[in-house]
Amino acid sequence: MAAELGHGNCLSWAARNVTGTLSPYRFDRRSVGADDISLKIKYCGVCFADVVWTRNKHGDSMYPLVPGHEIVGVVTATGSNVKGFKVGDHIGVGTYVNSCRNCEYCDDFLEVFCSKGPTLTFNGLDSDGTVTKGGYSSFIVVHERYCYKIPDGYPLDKAAPLLCAGITVYSPMMRHKMNQPGKSLGVIGLGGLGHMAVMFGKAFGLKVTVFSTSESKKEEALNLLRADNFVISSDKQQMMSLMKSLDYIIDTASGDHPFDPYMSLLKVGGVLVLVGFPSEVRLLPISLNMGAKSVSGSMTGGTKETQEMLNFCATNQIYPEVEVINIQYINEALERLIKRDVKYRFVIDIANSLD
């Protein structure tokens, strides 16, 4: 058992192979450098990326693999050059922990698009050649540039999903000016990303329509998340009734689905933003050309925008819907995530269950 657990200053749960099964694992975190922050992890959100890389779906997983990139905790130490944070601060860490800091995108605080590629929070190669390990762990050491201040009073368990799910939809909504009150937004899919898109849309003053394949999500979409309309996407009559009525669509669905029916719902000049990862995107040219419509993609966001998003959520009392779990439940939680059996984000209580 000792050999399986390993040795080191950081306790975590890791996958050892493509089965993706996680179990306790120890390893060494680096020492705190001059620009670093050491963060005692309190909570970590569970993202579908955790399924993808623990099970080597992209063929690039480096085991033992410690997932988790929606990290929230408390500062326990700071390097000598750190000015923006102090011991005791509540901070978050998102999907990346380093970048070149020299390219045009880093200069514009769009580090997620770094020309040399951002260093992912887990299963990435850091500047010292080590493999990054994520938030299913007791603590993490990160350069201060990639840390975010959690606003005072904001619940830490609910802050965790903002570091990936939240910024993934907030970023393209701001880029495409989806913060104009009175405009109409369609949201495809009502999972971790979709429910955040609905909440942001309502906070921006948009009229929000949720598209889902599941009638069971109607009550929560309308009553809990306060969407204005709910449509079963396979119902052609419901879809036809919304022709040319939407200014924007956020598509969070990762399963394969047709695009032309949704494009027909956009007004002239409307945009569909894809944040999910279906295996392909197929649509007829007429769906774009007739009406000057566009399709755009997006990932997470830069550091400046991520901090703005956190502040916006605090100011507007936007709180993700979460199911808090112990780390010992993580393998079951990942199976439930695959089956979309979560409303709407698992969050691991690291502080009270990792021991």
Side-chain angles (χ1 to χ4, degrees):
M1 180 65 181
E4 182 182 354
L5 182 61
H7 303 278
N9 61 11
C10 186
L11 177 60
S12 72
W13 276 51
R16 304 324 203 274
N17 53 51
V18 296
T19 65
T21 302
L22 291 109
S23 59
Y25 171 68
R26 281 194 173 274
F27 66 95
D28 280 317
R29 291 283 188 195
R30 72 169 186 261
S31 299
V32 177
D35 300 306
D36 289 338
I37 289 172
S38 182
L39 169 71
K40 178 179 172 57
I41 299 173
K42 294 290 189 180
Y43 295 96
C44 185
V46 179
C47 176
F48 199 79
D50 303 346
V51 173
V52 170
W53 272 284
T54 56
R55 302 185 184 203
N56 198 28
K57 297 297 186 181
H58 290 328
D60 63 354
S61 297
M62 294 175 277
Y63 299 105
L65 189 148
V66 180
H69 60 201
E70 296 181 339
I71 303 166
V72 175
V74 179
V75 177
T76 57
T78 61
S80 58
N81 293 340
V82 173
K83 305 300 182 187
F85 303 93
K86 65 182 184 303
V87 171
D89 282 351
H90 291 166
I91 67 170
V93 176
T95 60
Y96 53 94
V97 292
N98 210 345
S99 64
C100 78
R101 299 194 286 276
N102 290 314
C103 69
E104 60 179 307
Y105 304 109
C106 287
D107 286 346
D108 287 337
F109 298 98
L110 295 171
E111 299 92 341
V112 68
F113 302 117
C114 174
S115 295
K116 295 182 179 179
T119 300
L120 300 182
T121 302
F122 67 88
N123 201 56
L125 283 177
D126 213 341
S127 55
D128 61 0
T130 60
V131 177
T132 56
K133 292 178 169 59
Y136 292 18
S137 57
S138 55
F139 77 101
I140 191 169
V141 178
V142 183
H143 188 290
E144 72 164 325
R145 177 163 176 165
Y146 310 95
C147 298
Y148 310 101
K149 180 74 167 65
I150 305 301
D152 292 342
Y154 197 93
L156 297 188
D157 59 334
K158 294 182 180 294
L162 300 178
L163 280 309
C164 177
I167 188 59
T168 295
V169 293
Y170 180 88
S171 180
M173 292 180 83
M174 297 303 290
R175 186 182 316 123
H176 294 283
K177 298 179 173 59
M178 298 186 193
N179 57 346
Q180 302 176 63
K183 298 280 190 175
S184 296
L185 168 71
V187 177
I188 303 173
L190 196 62
L193 298 178
H195 96 289
M196 290 302 313
V198 174
M199 287 192 283
F200 283 132
K202 294 302 296 182
F204 291 143
L206 305 179
K207 181 180 180 182
V208 180
T209 297
V210 172
F211 297 91
S212 177
T213 58
S214 176
E215 180 74 30
S216 65
K217 294 190 175 183
K218 180 175 182 178
E219 183 176 350
E220 290 194 352
L222 297 177
N223 297 330
L224 177 64
L225 302 176
R226 299 185 299 109
D228 300 281
N229 194 13
F230 182 89
V231 171
I232 296 296
S233 53
S234 58
D235 188 320
K236 293 184 179 179
Q237 187 172 354
Q238 289 187 48
M239 294 288 281
M240 285 285 291
S241 70
L242 293 176
M243 291 276 287
K244 300 180 181 178
S245 68
L246 302 176
D247 296 287
Y248 327 105
I249 295 175
I250 296 283
D251 186 350
T252 73
S254 286
D256 288 339
H257 56 283
F259 285 83
D260 293 296
Y262 292 108
M263 297 302 293
S264 70
L265 307 185
L266 289 170
K267 297 178 181 179
V268 171
V271 59
L272 181 148
V273 176
L274 182 67
V275 294
F277 285 87
S279 63
E280 64 177 1
V281 177
R282 298 184 65 179
L283 71 167
L284 297 171
I286 196 171
S287 292
L288 295 176
N289 299 345
M290 296 295 289
K293 301 168 186 178
S294 60
V295 175
S296 176
S298 194
M299 292 177 62
T300 60
T303 54
K304 182 179 179 182
E305 192 169 46
T306 300
Q307 187 64 63
E308 290 174 355
M309 179 268 306
L310 289 165
N311 296 343
F312 180 83
C313 287
T315 299
N316 292 275
Q317 298 184 318
I318 296 173
Y319 304 116
E321 293 292 325
V322 303
E323 180 178 337
V324 178
I325 62 171
N326 291 333
I327 188 69
Q328 291 78 12
Y329 186 71
I330 187 57
N331 290 306
E332 290 86 350
L334 292 175
E335 290 296 331
R336 283 180 55 192
L337 180 58
I338 292 169
K339 298 173 184 175
R340 303 175 187 174
D341 178 24
V342 56
K343 295 178 181 178
Y344 286 92
R345 203 70 158 184
F346 287 118
V347 174
I348 307 168
D349 185 347
I350 296 290
N352 291 312
S353 66
L354 183 63
D355 52 30

